[in-house]
Amino acid sequence: MRIRPLATLSAVALSAVILAGCASSPDATGSPSAAPAQDLCAAAAPSGAASEAVTVDGTVGEESTATFTAPLDIPEVQTTVIATGSGDPVEAGQLVTYALTAFSADTGEQIGSIGYGDSPLLPAQISADNPVGQVLGCATPGTRVVATFPPSDPNAGEVYIFDFLSIVPNAAWGEPQPPVEGMPTVTLAEDGSPTVELPEGDPPTEVKLATLKQGDGATVEPGDTVLVQYTGVKWSDGSVFDSSWESGAPASFQTTGVVDGFRQALEGFTVGSQVLVVIPPAAGYGEGEINDKDLVGETLVFVVDILGTQHAAAQ
């Protein structure tokens, strides 16, 4: 992806460009892959006269204002760090959360602001060859960067105030909860990937839910786009039929784009949670004779780690 404005001009377009690298779903034809381990520190665009000419007012983590003499001449992509965070530097392949405010280089007027307050963006996987890595480099959480982008037909020049909010774990981080009697048993590997052991007896005829870890993040609302890790197991034989862990990166999709039982394991739960759900055929892929070609007739078990949510745009 070439380094261009992270958006031109609407919050929806802005987030879509940045997140394009990790969009997939359990039914998608392509899966995201882990970012290559490249030199993230060297990936950040250099500072220059344009980015250094921008004065920023506001606290990191809150919507900011930028002042500069317009029109601002931007000969090339430039980034200037104006506040340095703390903690461990981000590494290629990790998930990060961010927020930003965008301004027109021609007029100095604000174009838009996204990712702040109660409207978080999905975490994005950072690498040396994507826009997030080329703005942040190997920064630490809490860093604020001015990024300037030259005009490129049909887009005018743009100025971004980019706030690096946090590094997001690759698995649910919430507080472990007591097991629910009668539900499958979940054992986690060191990397967080689950193994599911099914109980004896017949599967339930209604959707059953259990919170394995209680997260402390935003609540997933109907129609949100979520970022999750998941593993799906067939009740009939205990085999894994789908798993984001096998692709090397989490998956993202709308809550309304999955079967109803899976939707129930998302909406109303909080980011950072791990949810166990048992889905009978009526809330999954329908009734019928179980076969090897599809999931019709199967009772399904999913372990879902909710890593992020992005609320649907207001109509």
Side-chain angles (χ1 to χ4, degrees):
M1 181 184 296
R2 63 195 180 103
I3 186 165
R4 246 308 301 156
L6 304 178
T8 355
L9 315 150
S10 74
V12 174
L14 188 55
S15 60
V17 170
I18 298 176
L19 297 174
C22 60
S24 71
S25 75
D27 294 323
T29 55
S31 297
S33 58
Q38 301 177 25
D39 187 352
L40 200 57
C41 295
S47 185
S51 58
E52 293 170 4
V54 179
T55 300
V56 180
D57 293 317
T59 303
V60 175
E62 299 178 3
E63 187 175 336
S64 58
T65 59
T67 305
F68 53 88
T69 300
L72 182 64
D73 180 32
I74 307 175
E76 60 185 357
V77 177
Q78 299 175 359
T79 61
T80 298
V81 175
I82 57 174
T84 302
S86 59
D88 294 330
V90 66
E91 299 177 1
Q94 289 185 316
L95 298 169
V96 300
T97 59
Y98 58 88
L100 59 83
T101 310
F103 300 85
S104 166
D106 289 343
T107 66
E109 295 179 351
Q110 181 177 319
I111 298 170
S113 181
I114 58 174
Y116 292 104
D118 296 329
S119 300
L121 292 172
L122 287 185
Q125 195 176 57
I126 191 170
S127 71
D129 58 0
N130 72 18
V132 180
Q134 292 162 354
V135 170
L136 291 178
C138 56
T140 53
T143 294
R144 169 168 279 180
V145 178
V146 173
T148 57
F149 293 87
S152 176
D153 187 46
N155 303 315
E158 294 158 17
V159 175
Y160 294 96
I161 311 306
F162 198 103
D163 287 350
F164 178 13
L165 302 179
S166 66
I167 298 173
V168 177
N170 200 44
W173 59 86
E175 186 69 21
Q177 303 296 297
V180 176
E181 185 177 356
M183 290 289 277
T185 300
V186 177
T187 303
L188 301 180
E190 186 174 344
D191 65 354
S193 59
T195 298
V196 178
E197 181 181 348
L198 300 174
E200 296 182 357
D202 295 331
T205 57
E206 297 180 351
V207 174
K208 299 293 184 182
L209 294 159
T211 302
L212 303 183
K213 295 182 181 181
Q214 180 63 57
D216 56 1
T219 299
V220 178
E221 299 176 359
D224 279 7
T225 299
V226 294
L227 184 71
V228 303
Q229 295 275 27
Y230 68 90
T231 292
V233 173
K234 297 180 182 179
W235 187 286
S236 61
D237 60 11
S239 65
V240 175
F241 65 88
D242 194 9
S243 178
S244 65
W245 293 94
E246 295 178 358
S247 71
S252 67
F253 43 82
Q254 282 188 290
T255 65
T256 53
V258 292
V259 296
D260 188 64
F262 201 118
R263 176 193 61 78
Q264 294 182 46
L266 299 169
E267 295 176 0
F269 290 92
T270 53
V271 171
S273 294
Q274 184 178 72
V275 182
L276 173 65
V277 59
V278 181
I279 306 173
Y285 291 89
E287 305 284 354
E289 183 178 352
I290 296 174
N291 59 72
D292 294 332
K293 296 180 180 179
D294 56 37
L295 298 174
V296 171
E298 284 279 5
T299 295
L300 309 176
V301 179
F302 280 98
V303 180
V304 186
D305 291 21
I306 305 174
L307 307 183
T309 192
Q310 183 172 325
H311 300 320
Q315 299 297 320

